[in-house]
Amino acid sequence: DGGITQSPKYLFRKEGQNVTLSCEQNLNHDAMYWYRQDPGQGLRLIYYSQIVNDFQKGDIAEGYSVSREKKESFPLTVTSAQKNPTAFYLCASSWTSDSYEQYFGPGTRLTVT
Amino acid sequence: KQEVTQIPAALSVPEGENLVLNCSFTDSAIYNLQWFRQDPGKGLTSLLLIQSSQREQTSGRLNASLDKSSGRSTLYIAASQPGDSATYLCAGGHDAGGTSYGKLTFGQGTILTVHP
């Protein structure tokens, strides 16, 4: 089955620790995206990548880092510099032509205490 | 900067009722408008996508319209069912030129409850 997988579903970390969230897609999409969702707010774009080995900052990139070494993978690292890391993180992918329709993974809920 | 607003924030209706969810955006230079459904604790499921050159899209009991000139989109749900209960999000896609293509700006969502 084609789709986007995110792991783990739930993640718990102590304050001050870096943590990496996984996102894999087998849709052969060129572009991948990371969003953050907080209660009562819409999704906000963290980083996006249009092609392997290239990525751009979104609206709230501070305290996050990404890599795009393979077309199917786009891991997100939440660093200790992120002041409020507890949130629901969603990964998405799309073609870079035609409709650009985005498809989303199931999400990872990160709790930092 | 694009801003997307959804009204109402929450809606509760009896089963069988037809309903309309509203989405407004400030920058009419959008590339597309996408409607999503989100169940509690889950990811987003794409419902309908309207290209900037289109006026509406239909899928089953769902119909979405787009009016770029007025900065509005609506999602019409016919004959609502309890299984339609979820949060509905709209998102405007940035213009496909330059390096910003594919970026979506989301509204805060409408929480829909359909009671039997």
Side-chain angles (χ1 to χ4, degrees), chain A residues 54-91:
Chain A
D54 186 52
F55 47 83
Q56 285 79 41
K57 293 181 179 180
D59 300 320
I60 55 166
E62 185 175 353
Y64 299 98
S65 66
V66 293
S67 63
R68 186 84 185 279
E69 298 177 359
K70 298 187 295 182
K71 186 176 183 178
E72 58 271 21
S73 178
F74 191 40
L76 173 74
T77 297
V78 184
T79 74
S80 57
Q82 168 52 231
K83 297 179 181 178
N84 296 295
T86 295
F88 190 47
Y89 290 87
L90 290 156
C91 178

Side-chain angles (χ1 to χ4, degrees), chain A residues 22-43:
Chain A
S22 169
C23 177
E24 303 275 335
Q25 56 98 1
N26 61 5
L27 300 169
N28 200 32
H29 285 165
D30 300 303
M32 298 186 73
Y33 313 81
W34 274 106
Y35 294 89
R36 169 183 173 138
Q37 187 177 33
D38 295 284
Q41 297 192 38
L43 278 69

Side-chain angles (χ1 to χ4, degrees), chain B residues 40-86:
Chain B
K42 305 291 186 181
L44 276 63
T45 299
S46 180
L47 297 174
L48 291 165
L49 178 144
I50 311 174
Q51 301 271 43
S52 61
S53 58
Q54 299 172 324
R55 296 296 294 262
E56 65 177 329
Q57 283 288 332
T58 298
S59 177
R61 294 183 294 109
L62 304 179
N63 176 275
S65 66
L66 174 64
D67 184 344
K68 290 181 63 178
S69 61
S70 66
R72 294 184 180 184
S73 177
T74 61
L75 178 66
Y76 175 83
I77 302 177
S80 59
Q81 302 170 358
D84 294 331
S85 298

Side-chain angles (χ1 to χ4, degrees), chain A residues 101-102, chain B residues 4-7 20-24 32-38 44-50 57 62-66 72-77 87-92 104 106 109-110:
Chain A
E101 183 172 6
Q102 291 193 18
Chain B
V4 179
T5 304
Q6 291 187 246
I7 296 173
V20 174
L21 306 181
N22 296 292
C23 173
S24 62
N32 60 31
L33 193 293
Q34 205 166 346
W35 282 93
F36 296 90
R37 167 185 173 138
Q38 186 177 31
L44 276 63
T45 299
S46 180
L47 297 174
L48 291 165
L49 178 144
I50 311 174
Q57 283 288 332
L62 304 179
N63 176 275
S65 66
L66 174 64
R72 294 184 180 184
S73 177
T74 61
L75 178 66
Y76 175 83
I77 302 177
T87 297
Y88 290 80
L89 295 150
C90 71
L104 291 177
F106 281 82
T110 294

